């Protein structure tokens, strides 16, 4: 049984930082591309950052320079370090694992940026 379990979401003030974690089980973690998506109320889910199995990373333009994705294959864990948070970053953040036609989602963790 595949599970992706996110944690780290919270209420934070603008300019603050959070680190999200996603622990995967039931998959060969190192071969999967791991991504963080987010969905704000009334908006479509969007890819925020992705880490490929080969170590490449990519980011949506709105978070470049502020967010960093990293992975620890020994711990089956992917992280999203979020700095200089803005109210526009408020959303439910989802972890995703993808390998060819196989894709899995976590349950999501809420990030709220507000003063």
């Amino acid at each position: 049984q595949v599970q992706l379990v996110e944690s780290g979401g919270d209420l934070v003030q603008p300019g603050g930082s959070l680190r999200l974690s996603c622990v995967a089980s039931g998959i060969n973690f190192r071969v999967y591309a791991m991504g963080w998506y987010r969905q704000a109320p009334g908006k479509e889910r969007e890819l925020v950052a992705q880490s490929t199995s080969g170590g490449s990373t990519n980011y949506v333009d709105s978070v470049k320079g502020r967010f960093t994705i990293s992975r620890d294959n020994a711990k089956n864990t992917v992280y999203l370090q979020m700095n200089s948070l803005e109210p526009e970053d408020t959303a439910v953040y989802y972890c995703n694992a993808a390998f060819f036609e196989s894709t899995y989602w976590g349950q999501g963790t809420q990030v709220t940026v507000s003063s």
Side-chain angles (χ1 to χ4, degrees):
Q1 181 182 358
V2 178
Q3 281 192 312
L4 301 178
V5 180
E6 302 105 329
S7 61
D10 205 346
L11 170 63
V12 63
Q13 292 187 345
S17 297
L18 283 175
R19 188 175 83 154
L20 306 183
S21 300
C22 171
V23 180
S25 59
I27 59 172
N28 185 3
F29 183 85
R30 62 181 64 249
V31 306
Y32 276 74
M34 299 300 299
W36 286 98
Y37 289 69
R38 66 186 179 188
Q39 187 166 20
K43 295 188 176 181
E44 293 187 353
R45 190 174 297 190
E46 67 169 349
L47 175 63
V48 175
Q50 188 178 58
S51 170
T52 71
S53 60
S56 300
T57 58
N58 59 80
Y59 300 89
V60 67
D61 285 348
S62 60
V63 308
K64 286 181 180 177
R66 300 189 298 122
F67 290 11
T68 303
I69 189 170
S70 62
R71 62 193 294 163
D72 186 337
N73 288 339
K75 295 182 178 180
N76 286 7
T77 302
V78 61
Y79 305 96
L80 185 67
Q81 177 67 45
M82 305 186 294
N83 299 327
S84 302
L85 282 160
E86 304 169 353
E88 293 72 24
D89 297 316
T90 295
V92 178
Y93 284 70
Y94 296 92
C95 177
N96 173 268
F99 180 68
F100 291 101
E101 69 277 8
S102 296
T103 185
Y104 302 99
W105 294 92
Q107 82 288 350
T109 186
Q110 176 70 46
V111 172
T112 302
V113 184
S114 175
S115 54

